[in-house]
Amino acid sequence: MKGTLSVQVISFANQKGGVGKTTSALNCATSLGVLGKRVLLIDLDPQANSTSALGISKNAVKLSIYEAITGKAKDVSSTIIQTKYKNLSIIPSNMSLASIEAELSSQFGREVFLKRIMERIDSLDLFDYIIIDCPPSLGMITVNALVASNSLIIPTQCEYFALEGLTQLMMSVKAIKSRYNPELNITGILITMFTPRYKLSQEVLSELEKYYFDIIFNQKISRSVVIGESSSYAEPLYYYAKYSKSSLEYLEIAKEIVERLEGF
Ligand SMILES: Nc1ncnc2c1ncn2[C@@H]1O[C@H](COP(=O)(O)OP(=O)(O)OP(=O)(O)O)[C@@H](O)[C@H]1O
Ligand SMILES: [Mg+2]
């Protein structure tokens, strides 16, 4: 179900830091592009990790998602950068986004700024998927992302407190769904940095499965050094090491996403 937009908008969110949001958003975006979908990645984090991971210098970015949200860019389309990777464009971020929470806080309709941008991008008919890389918080930036999305993917590690974190996030999703965005659905929980031989990983996974079995993606993302390497070379996995286990795992996830959202 795409609701009122014809583009699928997927937020990768988890208020916990370092769980693999950026790695997953970037590599799912790349993999969807490889599968033939036209993809726009939106870096919605002032840390600008997705931007850097695509080899774009965040200090050189003049037109970012900040200018799009605040209306300082002439048009949203001027903030879109086409990458050298198949079917992949990005709206970059930089530190200027850090002030947005304060700037929006007193404004009327502060929850729907990004939603308006999605509507504008949708009207351009350039993309099948928009992937949003969220910052590690449940502040106004993430609220904007969830209000603007029809799909949420939650990357999580199998470690202590994962379940508590998810419960808190689910409560926020429920509140946003009922107040602002009934079209928001959880497409899946994505297990990242998985090490099956660790007893703790297995224990936490079975705990998570007790509550969320039906939404956890079948494919898990293993912990792997290739992932660190590919980001230090500023290349998505598919282009850094096409046949690596990690690259194939993210391709599998992209296929599961298409299956869950498009029904085949
Ligand atoms: N499967 C994996 N195997 C090994 N390392 C990984 C894996 N996934 C992510 N990492 C590494 O873990 C770190 C955190 O990942 P990432 O930046 O994707 O998390 P994040 O949730 O976006 O973080 P933040 O909350 O700061 O935005 C990075 O150094 C990344 O390279
Ligand atoms: Mg990140």
Side-chain angles (χ1 to χ4, degrees):
M1 261 290 288
K2 284 185 279 189
T4 48
L5 297 178
S6 58
V7 61
Q8 297 278 5
V9 185
I10 311 175
S11 276
F12 281 68
N14 188 334
Q15 72 277 20
K16 193 158 169 19
V19 295
K21 292 181 288 297
T22 299
T23 305
S24 301
L26 172 73
N27 288 295
C28 287
T30 317
S31 303
L32 284 165
V34 169
L35 294 180
K37 307 291 177 188
R38 301 167 304 161
V39 185
L40 174 66
L41 177 64
I42 297 184
D43 190 345
L44 201 61
D45 186 346
Q47 296 180 95
N49 292 336
S50 286
T51 302
S52 310
L54 284 174
I56 298 166
S57 159
K58 55 187 171 192
N59 299 322
V61 168
K62 294 278 179 290
L63 291 173
S64 68
I65 188 64
Y66 171 81
E67 280 74 24
I69 293 175
T70 54
K72 290 176 179 154
K74 208 165 70 243
D75 185 72
V76 177
S77 57
S78 64
T79 65
I80 299 174
I81 301 172
Q82 218 177 331
T83 74
K84 60 182 172 192
Y85 306 112
K86 187 181 172 196
N87 291 325
L88 183 66
S89 297
I90 181 172
I91 298 184
S93 171
N94 59 29
M95 269 308 289
S96 58
L97 189 62
S99 63
I100 202 94
E101 303 255 346
E103 286 179 44
L104 290 184
S105 66
S106 60
Q107 296 206 30
F108 181 73
R110 57 189 176 271
E111 296 86 4
V112 298
F113 277 81
L114 198 65
K115 169 120 190 143
R116 296 286 161 270
I117 293 177
M118 293 308 123
E119 287 163 355
R120 170 72 190 123
I121 296 173
D122 194 38
S123 74
L124 300 172
D125 196 20
L126 290 173
F127 304 105
D128 304 306
Y129 282 83
I130 298 176
I131 305 280
I132 306 176
D133 179 20
C134 292
S137 90
L138 286 174
M140 195 44 68
I141 296 182
T142 301
V143 169
N144 260 271
L146 296 179
V147 171
S149 300
N150 55 282
S151 156
L152 166 64
I153 290 179
I154 308 170
T156 185
Q157 279 181 262
C158 278
E159 56 174 31
Y160 274 128
F161 305 121
L163 194 59
E164 277 94 316
L166 281 183
T167 310
Q168 197 188 352
L169 180 54
M170 295 300 181
M171 276 160 52
S172 299
V173 170
K174 209 170 149 194
I176 287 169
K177 219 173 136 104
S178 70
R179 268 189 90 172
Y180 304 107
N181 183 12
E183 285 163 18
L184 179 63
N185 285 309
I186 300 171
T187 298
I189 293 175
L190 175 54
I191 306 293
T192 62
M193 298 180 235
F194 191 55
T195 315
R197 67 176 187 280
Y198 289 170
K199 198 161 157 251
L200 178 66
S201 295
Q202 289 292 356
E203 282 171 6
V204 176
L205 178 60
S206 20
E207 190 66 17
L208 292 175
E209 282 178 338
K210 256 193 236 161
Y211 297 89
Y212 302 116
F213 181 76
D214 48 339
I215 54 171
I216 296 175
F217 284 105
N218 296 328
Q219 179 68 57
K220 314 288 181 279
I221 304 297
S222 316
R223 182 176 285 280
S224 157
V225 290
V226 179
I227 293 194
E229 280 171 22
S230 73
S231 44
S232 65
Y233 283 93
E235 279 198 307
L237 278 164
Y238 183 84
Y239 295 93
Y240 176 73
K242 190 170 173 174
Y243 299 110
S244 63
K245 188 168 176 226
S246 307
S247 167
L248 297 172
E249 286 173 349
Y250 272 111
L251 263 180
E252 244 351 275
I253 293 293
K255 288 180 193 160
E256 280 192 59
I257 292 173
V258 172
E259 235 168 69
R260 289 181 185 202
L261 291 176
E262 300 181 29
F264 51 82

